[in-house]
Every structure is written in structure tokens, then in C-alpha cells.
Amino acid sequence: MTQESRPTLGVGMVGYSFMGRAHSHAWRNVGAFFDLPYTPAMVALAGRSRDQVVAAADRLGWRSAETDWRELIRRDDVDVVDICTPGDTHAEIAIAALEAGKHVLCEKPLANTVEEAAAMAEAAERARANGVRSMVGFSYRRVPALALARKLVADGRLGAIRHVRAQYLQDWIVDPDFPLVWRLDKDKAGSGALGDIGAHIIDAAQFVTGERILGVSALMETFVRERPLAEASTGLSAASTGDPGRGEVTVDDAALFIGRMSGGAVASFEATRFANGRKNALRLEINGSAGSLAFDLESMNELFFYDGTEGSEAAGFRRILVTEPAHPYAGAWWPPGHLLGYEHTFTHEVRDFLDAIGTDTDPSPSFADGLRVQEVLDAVTRSADRNGTWTTVGGPRTTPET
Ligand code: SOE
């Protein structure tokens, strides 16, 4: 089907910062590399400041700009709403868009609370009855190496899963004078490292193993408890004032927790923004009765596989360069060995979303999957608030677990 013969699907996006730029890149190039049931039209970008959103729309390839997301949702030429805003706005925008009959792609984590995530999942289920589709943006599921890892586990190549070892290590706020940006404000972000990068390793662990986290014991820490106010919050540049003032950090800098998985595996998770020297190191190691897998996002085209069924003479972790046509997504891009990057995962994400809409099937991960991650985040926080008390995921949230 040529681009001209495909029906058009109008896309409207809310937000144009880091995720807005990554998603815009994906909408711009997905049709050039994948056969799609629709041609996505980048119809409108919404943001609060007219000058800034007009400039961003021009720079990122959007045909028009709106200063109110409600106007974007009201437009007849918008069929899909892509939410790339901080978590405190996800529920209101997603539910309104779903009720207006728009397909919704919402960035992770789904929401800032379990209550919001549950309301979003219920709205998604109601909209689904009318053929309206929704997806949450855990983009790392679309790293070819992690999609391959899931296949190898599902094919039984690791046997029974015994251990899941997941880390997400960053260091962008180790400087105590890094300003108090929205990701460090509980009202905007819901939590700190836990919800921002911990959500990724929770979803990745469940995605690769096919198991669910049943219960956790956790601790959380905030190393730097106040920081200089960011320009965005004061409207004043530090240069003009010299001292922008300081504000309280209301979220975690690090979250560590252990857990039990539904298939019997035991798991350890570490999400931190204080792993000095580690820039974006999502690391996953899965140990099974028949073998192991190891992945590091900072070498995202590689997957290390240990086949424990080989004779010891030749056994050892071997490096799979996940760039072959037979590997997930890889064949759409370049010849073997010509590597993919962080941005390609977003193209894979919008491609799969458009494919699900075009085949009238449910995108994955669903809002229900996003709610499940939110319940783990909530259990981690409740456990940490009670000195690591073992806490059931999705369990009662009033009385402490024994
Ligand atoms: C910051 O931690 C961040 O941008 C996350 O918000 C993204 O989800 C992750 O992909 C990269 O790091």
C-alpha cells in the first residue's frame, strides 16, 4: 500500500520537552521504515506558552499549535492523542481524550497514583468497547534485544526462572546545585527515581519473564533534600537574581527493593539517580535453571546469553549482536551490525500502536499493564514507609502487612 493510498490518521501531541521531541521524531520517520495501515499526520502540538509551542511545532514538524489540550481533543482532524507531559496531567488528559473517542498513547508511568491509574484503565476499557485503543509508553519493550530476551525466555531457553536482577542507574542530579526541576517535585512527578526509572525496570522484568511481581520489601532515600529553585518555577534566571532561592526535594533519589515473582523467581531492583558515572544504565540479568540472559541499555544492541545446557568445555556467556533481519524490528532499518539507538524504540512504539489501531487489536502495554506497574510502585512506597515491611502488590492499602 503506498503512502498516498493509505488512510490518514491525525495525531495531536501534548507536551514538547524530552519525550515530546522523542515522540515527534518517531511520528516523523515511522512511515519511511515500516509498512503502516495509516499515514500519521502530525496535525497539532499543544503547550501552554503560545510563543514556545509555536516554535516547537515548527521545529518538531507539527502543522499547527494549540495552547489548550482541550482544544486539541475537540478537533475533528485529531484521531490520536499522544501525551508527553509530566505525570500529574496524564489522568485528566487521557480520560478526556478517550471519552472524546480519541486513541491515546500516554507516556510512563501511567499516572502519579494508583487511583488515577485505575480510573485511566477503566476509561480505556470503556473506550475499547467502541474500538478506541490505548497504550502506555514503556518504550524499552521495543529495544530489539529486550524483545529477543522475552522470546528466548518464552521459548524455554532459560528453563525455570530463579533470579531477576534489575537496575536502572543514572547520575544526572549528583550535583547538589542541580536545580529543583519538575522530576524532583512529588506534586508533578508522583515520585522520584522510583516512578521515573524504577517503573521501567518493573515493566521490563515483567515483560521479559512473563511473570508478575507479587510482593516487595523496599527502602527509599533522598540524599540531597533541598536544591536551587529552577528558572521555570521562579520565572527568573539565576543570572538576573544571583540567588533564585532554594526549595525542598519531595521525592526519592534512590529506591531499592526485593520481590517475589508469580512464577517462583526472586527479584532485586535498584533505581537511582546517584550512580555517579552511570548515565542511562538499565541493566537486566535473568538466571534460569537452564541458562541466563544479561542486558545493559548503554550497549543496547547486545544481549548476552548463557546456555547452561552446553557442555562445560564450550559454555560461557556469548554476545548476540541483535541487528539481524530475524531479530525484532531490526530488519526494518539497516544491514546487520549497523546499530540502533534510543530514538528507534519510539518509532517501534508508534508503529506497533498504529498497527494495533489498524488491525482493531489491543496495543501492548495496555493501561491495565500500566496500572499493574503503578500498583508495584505503590507497594514499594508503602513498604519503604514502613521500614521495609513486606507488602503485597495490589493488596489492601490500609493495614500493614505482617
Ligand atoms: C529521566 O530519568 C529519563 O528521561 C526518563 O524519564 C525516561 O523515561 C528514560 O527513558 C530516560 O531517562
Side-chain angles (χ1 to χ4, degrees), residues 315-340:
F317 274 94
R318 58 186 164 87
R319 170 180 174 263
I320 304 171
L321 189 58
V322 192
T323 58
E324 297 295 321
H327 290 141
Y329 305 105
W333 297 96
W334 322 123
H338 296 66
L339 308 180
L340 299 187

Side-chain angles (χ1 to χ4, degrees), residues 18-19 108 140 168 170 172 183 196-197 200 280 342:
F18 180 3
M19 286 301 110
K108 44 54 64 183
Y140 295 133
Y168 201 155
Q170 295 181 342
W172 55 282
R183 279 188 168 88
D196 183 28
I197 51 180
H200 277 302
N280 201 35
Y342 177 74

Side-chain angles (χ1 to χ4, degrees), residues 290-349:
S292 292
L293 286 168
F295 170 80
D296 184 341
L297 185 63
E298 290 187 354
S299 303
M300 65 177 275
N301 291 276
E302 302 176 355
L303 182 65
F304 288 84
F305 173 50
Y306 174 78
D307 183 346
T309 64
E310 280 182 329
S312 59
E313 187 181 66
F317 274 94
R318 58 186 164 87
R319 170 180 174 263
I320 304 171
L321 189 58
V322 192
T323 58
E324 297 295 321
H327 290 141
Y329 305 105
W333 297 96
W334 322 123
H338 296 66
L339 308 180
L340 299 187
Y342 177 74
E343 73 280 11
H344 292 85
T345 67
F346 294 93
T347 302
H348 302 160
E349 185 172 80

